[in-house]
Amino acid sequence: MPQTTPYAGKFSPNPYTNTSTHYTPVETVYGGLCYHDNSLVSGSLEALIQHLVPTVDYFPDRSYIFTFLLSSRLFLHPYEVMSRVCYMCLEQHRTTDPQIDRRRIREIAPKIVQLLTEWTETFPYDFRDERMMRSIKDLTHRLALGDELSRRAMQRMTQRLLRKLTTLGQYEESLVTTSAPATEKLTAQKAKQQAARREDVLTVCSDPFILAQQLTHIEMERLSYIGPEEFVYAFALKGPKDNQKSYLNKRRASNLEAYIEWFNRLSYLVATEICTPVKKKQRARILEFFIDVARECFNIGNFNSLMAIITGMNMSPVSRLKKTWSKVNTAKFDILEHQMDPSSNFYNYRTALRGATQRCLSAQTSREKIVIPFFSLFIKDIYFLNEGCASRLPNGHINFEKFWELAKQVSEFLSWRLAACPFERDRKTLQYLFNTPVFSDDELQLASYESEGPENNMERDTRRSLRSSLYRA
């Protein structure tokens, strides 16, 4: 039987490339699966599920397990996949002889445990569904009839899974706790009254390298809790069944969305810090400080914080502060903007990201392993991959070639997510980043006008309107 692409830490749907002008691609169809040069490119949904199911003398390679479990949720609930896998493993070949059935279970049990271990380790959030946990419990009971060692392995696997889900629950609770103070409304009037005694970022942390390290702590922690399936749920607006829409909305991509919210918060925090000081000299100091922080983020490989800082400094309320910018040496900022220039599909950034990825692969220290992508662009790439290729072919087959590519991109993210942050935590700085209130768009605009007055009648009218609405609030 033709085999799928062997797993070697990366995904390659077409591993056998021949550039010879006389080469003729070989296509084969086997059991409802279509292969191109021994690489699986399409298949019916049932055949793909069957290909996932281990037998006494067959076990799917890890790349196939990951790719199928990642993409199948576009067509079926994970619970439905689990139900079919359980049926094919244990029920489909049941005989009337209990001894034969017990012997067969004993032979296949280690491979069932191995498959479920892959599933629970890579997609643990699927098992927040009570039906999935009931399936695990039922399988443990069934395997115990034929193999005590596999029963114990199932119990150990379940214990690891429960610990992961407990940790996830605690993390989600901490998100609520840390974001609550940040939602406090910092009105322009409050800022004006308290500007003289307000603690700014330089009071808390005056070393740009330390602040970049603390931003990296936040980024890496939040990345580590994003499940690979969230990239699929992010663009799966509805499923093949009417009742799937509510399921996807409920468990759509909460950790992914929380991470994007963090990017937005950081951008607004940077803009708030720059626009708040009354004195031009202090505004310039903070502006230069964040340029240095952004540069340190680039050196670390933290492209997401880098882009958030650049975004904050490019907001209209900040960019219009011409007198403040005139006091700043912008050469370093210009270099950073060039690195993150969106032209040619972010060519400069993608080149830098490839360099960071290569550094990660040959890393000698934990710091060299850090790769934190500009996350919004990463999501955009996955979105266009999904939109640009049909998930089903005209013959009704699943376009598995598309899902190899999706899995390749997501698996690269998973490899970045594994890195441990080597920097020491600074509790005071982290609390400030999480808890200090930030301006809204209108409050930023008004603070900017209060720092450097309007330049024309339209801006004067805008300031008057903002004062009227915000000071009254």
Side-chain angles (χ1 to χ4, degrees):
M1 177 178 179
Q3 294 296 302
T4 54
T5 310
Y7 179 77
K10 60 176 70 175
F11 290 80
S12 177
N14 294 295
Y16 307 109
T17 303
N18 190 322
T19 57
S20 168
T21 56
H22 302 291
Y23 173 70
T24 303
V26 178
E27 293 190 5
T28 57
V29 178
Y30 187 96
L33 300 176
C34 181
Y35 293 83
H36 182 96
D37 288 351
N38 278 358
S39 182
L40 177 60
V41 294
S42 70
S44 67
L45 185 57
E46 286 301 317
L48 291 169
I49 295 173
Q50 184 69 61
H51 197 52
L52 181 71
V53 176
T55 64
V56 173
D57 54 2
Y58 165 77
F59 189 81
D61 60 62
R62 294 184 67 200
S63 62
Y64 178 78
I65 294 172
F66 177 75
T67 304
F68 179 79
L69 292 179
L70 177 69
S71 58
S72 63
R73 61 198 69 235
L74 287 171
F75 311 100
L76 293 171
H77 292 284
Y79 168 70
E80 292 175 299
V81 175
M82 173 68 84
S83 297
R84 297 192 192 189
V85 168
C86 291
Y87 174 78
M88 291 177 181
C89 282
L90 300 176
E91 302 292 343
Q92 196 170 34
H93 303 291
R94 177 179 285 191
T95 69
T96 56
D97 188 333
Q99 292 297 327
I100 294 177
D101 290 340
R102 188 174 290 111
R103 185 169 63 250
R104 182 180 175 278
I105 289 176
R106 187 162 52 246
E107 291 173 343
I108 197 175
K111 293 185 176 180
I112 296 176
V113 174
Q114 186 181 351
L115 175 63
L116 292 177
T117 299
E118 291 279 348
W119 196 335
T120 56
E121 290 291 330
T122 312
F123 299 93
Y125 302 165
D126 285 350
F127 295 85
R128 300 180 98 178
D129 186 334
E130 292 180 2
R131 296 170 298 178
M132 295 286 281
M133 293 303 294
R134 283 198 298 269
S135 294
I136 291 284
K137 185 176 180 180
D138 181 57
L139 269 175
T140 302
H141 174 73
R142 295 289 301 279
L143 295 182
L145 300 177
D147 183 42
E148 176 64 16
L149 290 177
S150 293
R151 183 189 69 81
R152 292 178 183 175
M154 286 285 289
Q155 288 180 333
R156 290 193 296 270
M157 180 198 74
T158 303
Q159 289 169 357
R160 290 194 302 270
L161 173 62
L162 291 175
R163 285 196 294 269
K164 278 193 173 186
L165 294 180
T166 299
T167 302
L168 171 64
Q170 293 169 344
Y171 166 72
E172 291 177 340
E173 288 178 8
S174 73
L175 283 182
V176 175
T177 303
T178 55
S179 62
T183 59
E184 174 190 338
K185 190 164 185 177
L186 180 62
T187 65
Q189 186 174 19
K190 283 182 184 177
K192 188 176 181 180
Q193 293 169 347
Q194 300 175 8
R197 62 178 186 271
R198 181 179 181 269
E199 191 176 48
D200 64 25
V201 67
L202 291 176
T203 307
V204 177
C205 177
S206 59
D207 186 335
F209 185 49
I210 291 178
L211 186 62
Q213 290 178 338
Q214 302 315 301
L215 291 173
T216 302
H217 263 297
I218 296 172
E219 299 278 356
M220 295 185 75
E221 180 185 47
R222 300 206 169 191
L223 275 179
S224 70
Y225 285 98
I226 297 174
E229 73 282 354
E230 295 193 43
F231 295 103
V232 175
Y233 289 140
F235 54 69
L237 298 180
K238 60 183 179 179
K241 300 180 180 180
D242 293 337
N243 64 354
Q244 191 168 4
K245 186 172 183 178
S246 61
Y247 170 80
L248 290 174
N249 288 340
K250 181 179 179 181
R251 180 61 193 94
R252 184 175 171 184
S254 59
N255 296 312
L256 186 151
E257 290 170 354
Y259 187 52
I260 293 174
E261 288 171 7
W262 156 250
F263 177 96
N264 294 333
R265 169 171 171 75
L266 179 55
S267 297
Y268 277 82
L269 174 61
V270 169
T272 300
E273 290 287 345
I274 296 169
C275 290
T276 299
V278 174
K279 295 183 178 179
K280 175 174 57 179
K281 183 178 179 181
Q282 181 66 2
R283 291 196 301 274
R285 280 187 63 205
I286 292 177
L287 194 52
E288 288 182 327
F289 175 73
F290 275 116
I291 292 173
D292 289 337
V293 173
R295 184 177 62 175
E296 295 297 346
C297 286
F298 178 83
N299 292 336
I300 289 171
N302 181 357
F303 297 105
N304 202 56
S305 289
L306 164 63
M307 193 61 178
I309 293 170
I310 291 176
T311 299
M313 289 191 286
N314 279 328
M315 286 183 176
S316 174
V318 177
S319 62
R320 67 168 297 278
L321 298 175
K322 296 177 183 177
K323 295 177 182 177
T324 304
W325 281 97
S326 70
K327 299 295 182 181
V328 175
N329 181 353
T330 60
K332 290 182 289 186
F333 182 66
D334 293 340
I335 293 172
L336 293 172
E337 278 204 308
H338 177 71
Q339 289 290 344
M340 304 305 286
D341 185 353
S343 63
S344 301
N345 194 21
F346 285 89
Y347 175 81
N348 294 337
Y349 157 70
R350 293 183 190 277
T351 301
L353 180 64
R354 283 195 298 272
T357 302
Q358 288 300 315
R359 181 189 66 186
C360 172
L361 294 175
S362 59
Q364 301 297 316
T365 66
S366 55
R367 177 177 170 176
E368 292 174 330
K369 293 181 180 179
I370 297 174
V371 181
I372 303 173
F374 171 30
F375 200 65
S376 293
L377 184 61
F378 184 75
I379 293 293
K380 183 179 177 182
D381 288 343
I382 291 178
Y383 172 80
F384 280 113
L385 169 62
N386 181 63
E387 291 297 304
C389 302
S391 295
R392 284 189 185 270
L393 301 177
N395 64 357
H397 274 197
I398 305 299
N399 182 4
F400 215 72
E401 204 164 15
K402 166 184 174 176
F403 295 126
W404 282 125
E405 184 60 33
L406 173 63
K408 178 182 176 182
Q409 293 191 25
V410 175
S411 65
E412 187 170 39
F413 161 80
L414 293 183
S415 69
W416 297 332
R417 195 184 69 169
L418 291 174
C421 188
F423 307 123
E424 186 176 343
R425 286 180 177 270
D426 185 318
R427 185 177 297 275
K428 185 178 181 181
T429 302
L430 288 171
Q431 288 178 341
Y432 188 81
L433 291 169
F434 282 132
N435 297 336
T436 190
V438 299
F439 284 155
S440 67
D441 287 311
D442 285 350
E443 290 157 354
L444 276 174
Q445 197 67 48
L446 180 56
S448 178
Y449 287 140
E450 301 290 22
S451 296
E452 295 186 18
E455 296 183 347
N456 53 54
N457 288 335
M458 181 179 294
E459 288 189 347
R460 279 187 280 274
D461 289 343
T462 300
R463 182 178 68 173
R464 190 180 304 113
S465 175
L466 290 170
R467 278 177 171 176
S468 175
S469 61
L470 294 175
Y471 285 176
R472 187 168 57 246

